[in-house]
Amino acid sequence: MTQAAAGAPWTLEGYEAVIGLEVHAELLTRAKVFCGCSAAFGGEPNTNVCPVCLGMPGVLPVLNRRVVEFAIRAGLATNCTIAPRSRFARKNYFYPDLPKGYQISMYEAPLCTGGWLEIVVDGVPRRVGLTRIHIEEDTGKNIHDLVAGGSLVDFNRSGVPLLEIVGEPDIRSPAEAGAYLRALRSVLQYLEICDGNMEEGSFRCDANVSVRPVGSSILGTKVEIKNMNSFRHVERALAWELRRQVRTLLAGERLVQETRLWDAEREETRAMRSKEHAHDYRYFPEPDLLPLEVSPAWIEEVRASLPELPGARRRRFEGEYGLSAYDADVLTQRKDVADFFEAGVAAGAQAKEMANWVTTEVLRIVREQRLDTQLVIRDWPITPAQVAALARLVDGGQITRNTAKQLLPRLIGTDDDPARIVEREGLAQVSDRGALQQAVREVIRQCPEQVAQFRAGKERVLGFLVGQVMKATGGKANPQVVQELLRAALSPERNG
Amino acid sequence: MSVPPYQWSLREAAARVRRREMSAVELTRTALGRIQAVDPAIGAFLTCCEAEALAAAESIDRRMAAGNDPGPLGGVPVAVKDNICTAGVRTTAASRMLESFIPAFDATVTAKLRHAGAVIVGKTNCDEFAMGSSTENSALGQTRNPWDPSRVPGGSSGGSGAAVAAREVYAALGTDTGGSIRLPAAFCGVVGLKPTYGRVSRFGVIAYASSLDQVGPLTRDVTDAAMVLEAIAGHDPADSTASPRPVPAYQDGLDAGVRGMRLGLPREYFVEGMHPEVDRAVRAAVRELERLGASIEEVSLPHTDYAIATYYLIATAEASSNLARYDGVRYGLRVPSANLGEMYERSRAAGFGTEVKRRIMLGTYALSAGYYDAYYLKAQQVRTLIRRDFAQAFQRCDALLTPVAPTPAFRLGERIDDPLTMYLSDILTISVNLAGLPALAVPCGMDSDGLPIGLQVIGRPFDEATLLRIGYAHELASDWHRRSPLP
Amino acid sequence: MRYVDAVGIQIDEVRRVAALARLRLEAAEEQRLCAELGAILEAFERLQRLDTAGVEPTAHVEEFGAPLRTDEVTNLPADEALLAGAPARDGRRFRVPKIIE
């Protein structure tokens, strides 16, 4: 496998990858898309159901306005054209979790078309086209009955609103696919319309994968890959499948246009054993729903309510705060984290310092406390003001970074002001040369081996010696001053 | 010599209950007795819900005793076609698939009837899933024409037509997708109204063809039809296709007459091969309306010839999808099987009758890959042409007059083996559904065998009032609607 | 007797459609439907001869746009009533026989 340079497309033995991703995002409305049942997760089986989402005889769908609003939001945030008139269609097939024997979706006239998403792979920005976004209803859940054989069906999720987001086959590597999914998830989270949780199934991804000789414009045989349950799995499945396709072609065999499932345990894709008849969905316009009309006024209303989107925010962070593309990207993946960063800057922290603290320490806390499972983190265990105060104390030389790192965990869950603690406990950085001279001498005396190594020319050992002084002073010594003192103390006897 | 209660009109029955001349319970018992007496020979009912009916009647009587209004249909026994959901009462669509199905909810029209005070005494027989023109496709019973038990009552709302004709109930709800209210009305000599598409809610009506189905009343006369329509029409938040237009007071202005109205006779509807007595009776009715002051002119609906094909492709396509939910998973018939695939195939094979399967097959074919453009899409385009034909005709006319069917009621078994011939019975009614227009069937004569003949009045969208006015004027000048097949 | 015609429908088409519709047909039924559907489709052939270039298909006879409902939970959690007609259950779940892939 070859990966030439950062952000470069995937190639293998003269073949390149053509990947299109299809995402289904569960929308965070209160009620289902076509009935007044709760769309909330959980509950005893078959309790959030009614005749409509159970597909009983005689029932009819009525469209939830907020689902449309969320769809418009998603379309605008991805630069799509919003159709003034779009139509629902029936997708007909039989499966136990599909109560009506058809899914209400959109086919020939979707709500949103022709957008794009900006992604950043290894610092290189690219655009991935979006073919369409449309509204559809989710199915129930079919689970295998481990005791008696057969399946058990729960329709609580039947009728939950979904957005189907279809990307153009513009993606050229598994890494790009991962970047696309992360970028899309970010957008949906910023819009607060989907919590983007792949593991829980609120954000699902299927991929269409083919390969072709590098530079060719003719598409190869397309294979659909399903059952990838995390971003990592998507990247691995794509990498494996691409290799499989190239190996197959190199062996002179033909690829079958089929659907394959990713087996996460065996780390391979396998063909589904499907029935002889391929799916003929017999799409036709849904007669029970009239065309969806979206006025220009509504579109403008939604546009006005959009937050600053991840891409725009990232670029602003790079420009306004002078942050690196990488840091800006990490900070803007989640809106609440970006808000945290900016609140810290507003509280007086220097931008790069604050960025450093947020991307390292704060995000670590977020992960450890699993705060990122929430759509929006509202209760932070530590505040931007507290982190800003720490950053300013380090920046202003009052404490060492070391001290600050030790202080941070003590602030969690409290509203203590770090400056107070520093004062109270005498944690201030010691920069006075006279005060430090003693410790420096002590360390030189205690570490003759490292001293000799340094004098012999091993620069790196200085770090060790500085560390020892830091230890001896309980982390309070100003590392720059310590370094200077050490050099001064050791250099007259250096050779060369 | 007093007229027995079951010979009253609905209006009269409601008035007597309101005037406390008869209690709702008494009236209901009378109806139940009548059903018991005559229905064994007719078979209009699949289910008689005596206990529920008496409970409802009691509650109406209590309402009145407390000084409250019983409702415009207060205490009046009515029937509901068995493809319309009635909570707690078996609703089968005349199919083995739903033979034991008991809905947990009322259709909106059912709820509206109840709200108006009507007493639902039973569910009437029909063609299975409303697919048919004679009620012979019912899997659960046979209904005979009260005028001649060797003949069909028409379909698919044959049970409703027969029940009203036999004076078992004062009104019955039917559904009309291609003529299924109007044809039984004509064959049974009663009034039948198919409202404009969207005038009446379809929620809880077991769907056959979603873009064509409408619920409407079968009654003894036009005034009764107006009363029932008022009670069931109107917007429904549960049906996205139900019109938000306000419901006029249909009973007002019924007697305004037809003077000055321009009535059209579409030449394509006076077909060759039409039964001469039908032709004669309808033309006599037309002359009567002319005598009453309407002007008559010939119009043309040039795409009439394509209507059968258009209807049967669209209706069966929609039906094939609407009936996919009958899969044995959540309700209805399930044939126990070793695996899911077999369960689907055997349950549906056992649950659906011949005609239903035929239409599912035709509809599935019309939608399937490679055929969609040639069949379904093409039919929807021709549908547009048919709608335009009517729109043009209505620029010159206030209503159109036609026969309901080319013949009076045919014999049981006569057409059942030849689907195409059966489909051709619908030729005069189906275009109305394709265009979504309202149409009224009123009795206008009898043939020499004593079989009723029906006149169809077709109107502009949401202009049921004009149809009822024309029907009423015709009624005043004739007495066909007063004739009854049974004593 | 097999019905084969230029316009008609072949028996394997009948089988394909029956499979799509999940209908199990006996051999005699297949033959009968083949003939009937063939005859019906032939009768419908006249539609093909009609010029419909540029004619919009009728998706709905009505002229207004889809009504929209407010996003609120209006249904109470379901009780037993909706599950009462289930042919097979396991607690509150519907049971179906195994799916053979």
Side-chain angles (χ1 to χ4, degrees):
Chain A
M1 179 169 62
T2 355
Q3 190 95 23
W10 179 97
T11 58
L12 176 61
E13 304 287 352
Y15 284 94
E16 65 179 7
V18 177
I19 300 169
L21 296 181
E22 197 175 286
V23 167
H24 285 88
E26 261 182 38
L27 297 179
L28 294 168
T29 54
R30 294 184 203 118
K32 294 184 176 181
V33 61
F34 295 122
C35 67
C37 287
S38 167
F41 202 80
E44 280 289 289
N46 292 309
T47 47
N48 289 339
V49 295
C50 72
V52 176
C53 54
L54 278 177
M56 305 229 110
V59 298
L60 298 169
V62 183
L63 182 58
N64 179 333
R65 176 183 288 112
R66 186 167 270 133
V67 172
V68 182
E69 188 204 305
F70 282 11
I72 298 170
R73 266 199 234 177
L76 290 175
T78 53
N79 310 287
C80 292
T81 304
I82 313 291
R85 235 173 188 237
S86 52
R87 292 182 192 279
F88 288 94
R90 292 192 186 178
K91 178 180 182 181
N92 299 278
Y93 66 96
F94 285 85
Y95 205 69
D97 64 8
L98 190 65
K100 296 187 292 296
Y102 58 87
Q103 179 197 34
I104 300 178
S105 177
M106 289 178 150
Y107 186 59
E108 287 178 336
L111 181 59
C112 313
T113 51
W116 45 266
L117 196 62
E118 193 179 82
I119 66 173
V120 178
V121 192
D122 296 327
V124 180
R126 269 199 73 211
R127 272 191 194 184
V128 174
L130 272 183
T131 318
R132 52 187 278 156
I133 300 179
H134 71 247
I135 295 166
E136 59 184 39
E137 56 178 346
D138 205 355
T139 63
K141 287 278 168 290
N142 211 29
I143 59 173
H144 292 306
D145 184 355
L146 299 166
V147 175
S151 307
L152 300 176
V153 197
D154 172 15
F155 293 95
N156 278 352
R157 306 311 288 159
S158 162
V160 163
L162 297 177
L163 282 189
E164 179 172 316
I165 304 167
V166 181
E168 290 284 321
D170 292 344
I171 293 173
R172 294 281 171 271
S173 73
E176 271 187 24
Y180 172 86
L181 292 173
R182 287 181 186 88
L184 182 57
R185 182 179 62 174
S186 271
V187 168
L188 299 182
Q189 285 176 333
Y190 268 58
L191 298 174
E192 294 184 40
I193 65 178
C194 172
D195 64 23
N197 193 323
M198 272 198 89
E199 285 83 351
E200 282 181 10
S202 67
F203 188 85
R204 308 167 209 163
C205 175
D206 298 328
N208 286 308
V209 187
S210 66
V211 294
R212 65 185 176 195
V214 175
S216 163
S217 57
I218 302 170
L219 294 171
T221 304
K222 193 168 66 169
V223 174
E224 187 187 17
I225 310 293
K226 292 168 103 74
N227 200 42
M228 302 168 289
N229 296 329
S230 74
F231 292 168
R232 240 188 66 238
H233 280 305
V234 170
E235 294 188 36
R236 289 159 98 108
L238 289 174
W240 195 93
E241 174 61 19
L242 288 166
R243 282 199 301 276
R244 181 191 78 85
Q245 292 196 9
V246 172
R247 277 200 303 268
T248 305
L249 292 175
L250 289 177
E253 286 158 30
R254 307 192 67 189
L255 287 164
V256 179
Q257 182 165 340
E258 60 187 350
T259 300
R260 300 176 70 91
L261 297 179
W262 171 245
D263 184 331
E265 283 195 12
R266 293 218 195 97
E267 298 241 337
E268 61 182 22
T269 68
R270 282 181 295 116
M272 284 176 72
R273 285 163 290 154
S274 54
K275 286 189 183 268
E276 333 79 55
H277 45 263
H279 283 302
D280 179 356
Y281 293 121
R282 288 157 280 135
Y283 285 99
F284 69 101
E286 169 58 82
D288 290 331
L289 286 171
L290 297 172
L292 175 57
E293 287 175 354
V294 175
S295 67
W298 193 3
I299 294 175
E300 288 321 302
E301 198 185 301
V302 176
R303 198 194 299 277
S305 76
L306 294 180
E308 186 184 22
L309 294 170
R313 204 164 188 183
R314 176 174 48 74
R315 285 188 292 277
R316 180 167 67 79
F317 278 18
E318 285 179 44
E320 199 176 309
Y321 301 115
L323 299 179
S324 69
Y326 177 80
D327 278 349
D329 191 34
V330 172
L331 285 176
T332 55
Q333 292 247 324
R334 287 185 64 102
K335 181 171 178 294
D336 43 21
V337 170
D339 291 345
F340 190 103
F341 163 77
E342 289 206 281
V345 172
Q350 197 264 340
K352 289 199 173 115
E353 267 297 317
M354 190 66 194
N356 201 345
W357 281 99
V358 175
T359 58
T360 55
E361 304 303 318
V362 176
L363 282 183
R364 186 171 47 75
I365 293 169
V366 165
R367 276 189 305 272
E368 278 171 5
Q369 296 197 10
R370 297 178 53 71
L371 300 175
D372 49 0
T373 57
Q374 299 168 52
L375 178 67
V376 176
I377 304 168
R378 294 192 203 282
D379 289 314
W380 289 89
I382 189 170
T383 68
Q386 287 172 312
V387 175
L390 271 183
R392 286 202 330 269
L393 288 168
V394 171
D395 214 28
Q398 277 103 301
I399 57 174
T400 66
R401 188 174 299 281
N402 214 310
T403 305
K405 281 202 179 140
Q406 287 167 28
L407 260 181
L408 186 87
R410 295 174 54 193
L411 296 170
I412 292 175
T414 75
D415 44 16
D416 292 343
D417 177 6
R420 291 266 162 75
I421 303 180
V422 167
E423 207 185 292
R424 210 171 49 222
E425 300 182 12
L427 301 173
Q429 182 172 239
V430 179
S431 301
D432 179 59
R433 301 179 114 73
L436 290 174
Q437 205 52 267
Q438 170 76 8
V440 166
R441 268 191 236 116
E442 204 35 54
V443 163
I444 291 177
R445 197 180 59 75
Q446 281 174 5
C447 307
E449 203 186 306
Q450 287 80 2
V451 164
Q453 284 173 353
F454 179 74
R455 283 180 173 152
K458 231 181 177 180
E459 271 289 320
R460 269 184 295 129
V461 163
L462 189 67
F464 172 80
L465 294 170
V466 170
Q468 292 299 102
V469 177
M470 298 298 291
K471 234 164 82 178
T473 59
K476 286 191 281 186
N478 182 326
Q480 267 90 302
V481 173
V482 168
Q483 234 191 67
E484 285 168 32
L485 291 176
L486 278 170
R487 281 193 191 276
L490 296 173
S491 62
E493 293 166 66
R494 273 181 87 174
N495 297 327
Chain B
M1 195 169 46
S2 69
V3 171
Y6 53 78
Q7 294 287 7
W8 297 336
S9 69
L10 185 152
R11 185 167 64 90
E12 194 174 352
R16 286 187 190 240
V17 169
R18 183 180 293 269
R19 289 197 302 261
R20 314 285 197 100
E21 286 172 29
M22 185 176 256
S23 71
V25 169
E26 259 185 275
L27 192 57
T28 301
R29 282 200 205 284
T30 310
L32 291 170
R34 175 71 174 172
I35 292 169
Q36 216 170 26
V38 308
D39 207 59
I42 293 171
F45 284 88
L46 286 177
T47 300
C48 226
C49 40
E50 277 198 33
E52 290 86 347
L54 289 168
E58 275 163 25
S59 128
I60 298 291
D61 286 334
R62 274 197 307 271
R63 219 199 264 183
M64 285 195 293
N68 295 321
D69 192 276
L73 306 179
V76 177
V78 302
V80 172
K81 182 174 178 181
D82 210 18
N83 64 346
I84 298 174
C85 286
T86 43
V89 172
R90 191 176 77 133
T91 300
T92 68
S95 177
R96 291 206 197 293
M97 183 61 83
L98 295 176
E99 193 170 356
S100 319
F101 176 68
I102 301 178
F105 60 99
D106 270 339
T108 297
V109 290
T110 306
K112 283 184 173 237
L113 280 181
R114 294 194 211 275
H115 184 72
V119 174
I120 297 169
V121 294
K123 308 299 293 297
T124 54
N125 197 18
C126 55
D127 285 296
E128 187 180 356
F129 284 103
M131 299 182 191
S133 311
S134 64
T135 308
E136 291 170 289
N137 291 323
S138 169
L140 302 180
Q142 186 185 61
T143 304
R144 296 170 182 278
N145 192 316
W147 294 88
D148 177 344
S150 73
R151 294 185 186 261
V152 302
S156 60
S157 313
S160 288
V164 172
R167 310 305 195 232
E168 293 176 84
V169 286
Y170 297 91
L173 290 189
T175 64
D176 190 313
T177 305
S180 292
I181 287 174
R182 292 161 285 156
L183 192 60
F187 282 8
C188 293
V190 299
V191 171
L193 173 66
K194 175 208 146 337
T196 310
Y197 184 84
R199 178 75 286 183
V200 179
S201 168
R202 290 183 300 116
F203 186 83
V205 178
I206 298 180
Y208 158 20
S210 315
S211 73
L212 303 165
D213 295 341
Q214 267 297 278
V215 178
L218 290 100
T219 55
R220 298 163 202 205
D221 65 30
V222 170
T223 306
D224 290 353
M227 286 178 71
V228 178
L229 183 62
E230 264 183 44
I232 62 173
H235 180 59
D236 182 12
D239 176 356
S240 295
T241 61
S243 172
R245 280 188 198 225
V247 179
Y250 292 113
Q251 293 174 72
D252 294 352
L254 271 181
D255 56 358
V258 299
R259 188 160 298 283
M261 276 195 193
R262 299 161 308 163
L263 304 178
L265 302 186
R267 79 166 78 99
E268 295 83 1
Y269 280 56
F270 291 84
V271 295
E272 260 185 52
M274 196 157 62
H275 194 289
E277 293 187 86
V278 170
D279 190 77
R280 203 175 317 145
V282 169
R283 289 193 191 277
V286 171
R287 276 196 307 277
E288 188 58 42
L289 288 167
E290 200 172 18
R291 195 184 60 76
L292 290 170
S295 65
I296 310 290
E297 64 180 274
E298 191 186 71
V299 297
S300 172
L301 300 172
H303 294 94
T304 300
D305 226 15
Y306 302 96
I308 295 269
T310 303
Y311 169 82
Y312 276 99
L313 286 172
I314 294 171
T316 59
E318 293 180 1
S320 71
S321 178
N322 285 328
L323 269 61
R325 69 192 63 197
Y326 305 109
D327 57 8
V329 173
R330 292 144 285 122
Y331 52 82
L333 180 71
R334 180 194 290 199
V335 173
S337 306
N339 63 64
L340 183 72
E342 276 191 30
M343 185 194 92
Y344 282 153
E345 292 182 352
R346 281 153 149 215
S347 304
R348 289 165 64 79
F352 293 140
T354 306
E355 183 60 38
V356 170
K357 282 186 203 163
R358 195 180 281 133
R359 295 193 194 196
I360 289 175
M361 290 287 290
L362 183 55
T364 304
Y365 184 83
L367 289 174
S368 64
Y371 296 105
Y372 178 88
D373 284 1
Y375 291 116
Y376 181 78
L377 187 60
K378 186 78 178 179
Q380 290 287 27
Q381 287 176 304
V382 178
R383 184 176 183 179
T384 300
L385 296 177
I386 291 171
R387 289 169 64 204
R388 283 187 199 166
D389 282 357
F390 278 104
Q392 275 197 332
F394 283 124
Q395 278 175 8
R396 291 160 48 195
C397 302
D398 300 308
L400 306 177
L401 301 173
T402 81
V404 174
T407 69
F410 43 89
R411 291 195 193 282
L412 288 159
E414 187 180 307
R415 300 196 188 170
I416 196 68
D417 290 326
D418 187 354
L420 254 180
T421 307
M422 186 70 89
Y423 295 170
L424 290 171
S425 323
D426 297 335
I427 185 67
L428 304 176
T429 49
I430 47 169
S431 295
V432 167
N433 300 79
L434 290 170
L437 301 170
L440 177 70
V442 292
C444 70
M446 289 203 139
D447 77 352
S448 46
D449 290 326
L451 298 171
I453 294 164
L455 170 73
Q456 174 172 235
V457 191
I458 305 170
R460 296 191 179 95
F462 298 100
D463 195 15
E464 285 81 359
T466 295
L467 305 183
L468 293 165
R469 236 171 91 183
I470 294 169
Y472 187 84
H474 173 262
E475 233 171 47
L476 277 184
S478 65
D479 69 348
W480 300 111
H481 61 289
R482 269 192 268 279
R483 303 203 187 182
S484 161
L486 304 170
Chain C
M1 197 153 90
R2 280 187 65 149
Y3 180 91
V4 175
D5 186 287
V7 170
I9 179 172
Q10 306 289 339
I11 197 81
D12 55 323
E13 288 271 87
V14 172
R15 289 187 186 129
R16 178 183 64 86
V17 173
L20 275 178
R22 298 299 190 274
L23 289 172
R24 173 162 295 195
L25 302 176
E26 306 296 318
E29 264 182 304
E30 279 180 353
Q31 296 291 346
R32 178 177 52 75
L33 278 165
C34 196
E36 285 170 357
L37 294 178
I40 291 168
L41 290 168
E42 187 179 0
F44 293 174
E45 255 314 280
R46 60 198 330 178
L47 276 188
Q48 303 308 323
R49 297 194 286 272
L50 196 50
D51 180 13
T52 52
V55 179
E56 273 295 300
T58 296
H60 300 96
V61 295
E62 292 157 296
E63 273 128 34
F64 53 96
L68 304 172
R69 19 174 275 277
T70 316
D71 180 32
E72 56 188 11
V73 176
T74 52
N75 293 340
L76 295 172
D79 57 10
E80 283 293 304
L82 289 175
L83 311 179
R89 272 168 71 174
D90 182 333
R92 288 191 67 92
R93 291 192 177 91
F94 298 91
R95 175 187 280 134
V96 296
K98 64 176 177 291
I99 301 158
I100 294 187
E101 276 294 338

